[in-house]
Amino acid sequence: MKHLYFLILLCFSFNLNAQKYHPDRISIQNKEYDYRFHHLEQYFNYYPEKRIVTNKDSTIINRGYIAFYEIYNDEIYLKDIKIPEHKNNYSKLISVRDKFTTSKETRVPLRWVNGVIQIGIGSNEIKNDSLKPVNTNNLIFEINKGKIQRSLQFNKEEMRIFNNFQWNKFYNTREYAVLTYKLKNIGLTEGEIVYHFYNNILYYSKKIYLQ
């Protein structure tokens, strides 16, 4: 599913414009935060027949729902999926979780989730929502098959240094070469490719390289 996520993220990055973006939500120790790692989009693009809401343009912006996740006992779970009661009005949401799963458990494990995620738990220093907010306090988790392997916490400056470190490691991987080749084939320049990966590096990180 990793390459499907690459396509989703790429579409988002170059089609943001002035559209309103509604992030998913995630809970940690009974506190809820914005969450921008859209794991259900990976799933729905792999199993399009199971998509709950028709995505009119294949971007994260217009996915049509908000997923509610939770990190509990060192594992990531899905708790709910909600859609606007009235079209494009996200002030009132209704649950459609039963259309995704028949499980009656409070938490549904997400065993397909792998990689590095970021959760901003401080104040957000940008005015508009995006996939890469500048947060004063950040939790970083390395996940393998839905289970947390490592966790770190960074302030804004430490986060910048960490992102640079992840970028330098990713730049020398075979995956970077493969994805760069694909992007050049659809017309992106070398500069555009570097800009895209650098600004979205955690979405492409399979592990925390920092020792």
Side-chain angles (χ1 to χ4, degrees):
M1 289 189 188
K2 190 71 174 181
H3 287 174
L4 286 170
Y5 195 37
F6 154 70
L7 294 174
I8 297 165
L9 182 61
L10 184 65
C11 288
F12 179 91
S13 299
F14 289 97
N15 289 281
L16 180 58
N17 298 323
Q19 299 181 71
K20 176 65 176 177
Y21 165 61
H22 300 278
D24 285 339
R25 303 288 289 170
I26 191 166
S27 297
I28 306 174
Q29 298 179 342
N30 297 317
K31 292 185 179 180
E32 192 174 86
Y33 307 96
D34 285 348
Y35 189 59
R36 293 165 170 80
F37 292 75
H38 299 281
H39 307 301
L40 289 189
E41 281 303 291
Q42 295 173 265
Y43 182 87
F44 290 144
N45 278 272
Y46 201 79
Y47 301 105
E49 72 280 2
K50 296 184 179 181
R51 183 176 286 277
I52 295 170
V53 182
T54 301
N55 191 335
K56 61 184 180 181
D57 62 6
S58 300
T59 67
I60 290 172
I61 296 176
N62 291 310
R63 65 192 186 283
Y65 65 87
I66 294 179
F68 291 78
Y69 303 95
E70 182 179 14
I71 290 181
Y72 179 78
N73 284 350
D74 290 331
E75 188 166 355
I76 187 166
Y77 295 89
L78 174 73
K79 291 191 69 178
D80 207 348
I81 308 173
K82 296 183 179 181
I83 62 173
E85 185 175 32
H86 303 290
K87 186 177 180 181
N88 296 327
N89 183 358
Y90 282 79
S91 62
K92 189 172 184 180
L93 303 172
I94 57 174
S95 176
V96 291
R97 183 188 128 136
D98 58 344
K99 294 182 179 180
F100 177 74
T101 177
T102 58
S103 174
K104 300 302 181 182
E105 297 293 328
T106 302
R107 305 174 182 89
V108 179
L110 303 179
R111 299 286 161 71
W112 71 81
V113 175
N114 297 287
V116 179
I117 65 170
Q118 172 192 1
I119 302 170
I121 61 172
S123 58
N124 188 355
E125 295 190 351
I126 61 171
K127 295 181 179 180
N128 299 311
D129 278 324
S130 75
L131 277 178
K132 42 186 180 295
V134 177
N135 207 283
T136 57
N137 197 2
N138 304 272
L139 295 177
I140 306 297
F141 296 100
E142 179 184 312
I143 298 178
N144 182 39
K145 296 181 179 179
K147 296 182 180 294
I148 294 173
Q149 308 299 310
R150 291 184 63 188
S151 62
L152 299 169
Q153 187 166 353
F154 296 127
N155 62 31
K156 182 179 69 172
E157 179 59 21
E158 291 167 339
M159 192 69 211
R160 183 189 67 80
I161 294 170
F162 174 69
N163 281 334
N164 285 339
F165 189 85
Q166 291 292 115
W167 157 252
N168 288 331
K169 291 292 185 179
F170 177 71
Y171 182 78
N172 294 309
T173 64
R174 182 179 181 277
E175 182 178 15
Y176 175 82
V178 170
L179 294 178
T180 296
Y181 177 79
K182 290 182 178 180
L183 291 178
K184 286 183 177 179
N185 280 344
I186 63 174
L188 270 68
T189 67
E190 184 73 29
E192 289 171 332
I193 293 169
V194 170
Y195 178 86
H196 171 73
F197 284 131
Y198 180 82
N199 284 282
N200 298 285
I201 187 58
L202 292 191
Y203 297 95
Y204 294 101
S205 297
K206 292 183 177 180
K207 59 178 292 186
I208 294 172
Y209 291 108
L210 192 65
Q211 299 300 315

